[in-house]
Amino acid sequence: MNIWIAIGVTAAGCYLVKLLGLSAPAGVLERPLVRRLAALLPVALLAALTAQQTFGDGQHLVLDARAAGVAAAAVALILRAPFLLVVGVAVAVTAGVRALGG
């Protein structure tokens, strides 16, 4: 039952945040700082989620095949590879490291 309460509270909170954004005056949304934060915040949140899922396991730091995949993807990004190739490189390196027993 507690999980459904948490889901309901989260859904209501998301709705309220969306409503707050829609009710904000246009002048506030046109400020350069707000525009910059709106552009960068999703990227920062996605990066944090990726790092947590890759290197975290509960309360412990983990370095396994996923870390090798993320490192390979970072190299592909530095080399300006297309997005699908970056994903493919990450998958192939992760699978290769796991196949080797890592």
Side-chain angles (χ1 to χ4, degrees):
M1 184 64 178
N2 288 340
I3 190 77
W4 288 109
I5 293 171
I7 290 171
V9 169
T10 302
C14 289
Y15 179 77
L16 290 173
V17 167
K18 181 75 170 180
L19 184 63
L20 181 65
L22 292 173
S23 64
V28 171
L29 299 176
E30 295 300 323
R31 292 181 184 162
L33 178 63
V34 173
R35 295 183 125 208
R36 187 173 173 149
L37 285 175
L40 294 178
L41 192 60
V43 176
L45 290 173
L46 183 58
L49 177 62
T50 301
Q52 191 274 331
Q53 290 294 314
T54 302
F55 301 112
D57 183 22
Q59 297 290 325
H60 304 287
L61 179 65
V62 176
L63 292 175
D64 58 6
R66 297 174 295 180
V70 169
V75 170
L77 283 172
I78 290 170
L79 296 174
R80 298 239 186 243
F83 179 72
L84 288 178
L85 183 60
V86 171
V87 173
V89 166
V91 168
V93 169
T94 302
V97 170
R98 284 183 177 168
L100 292 173

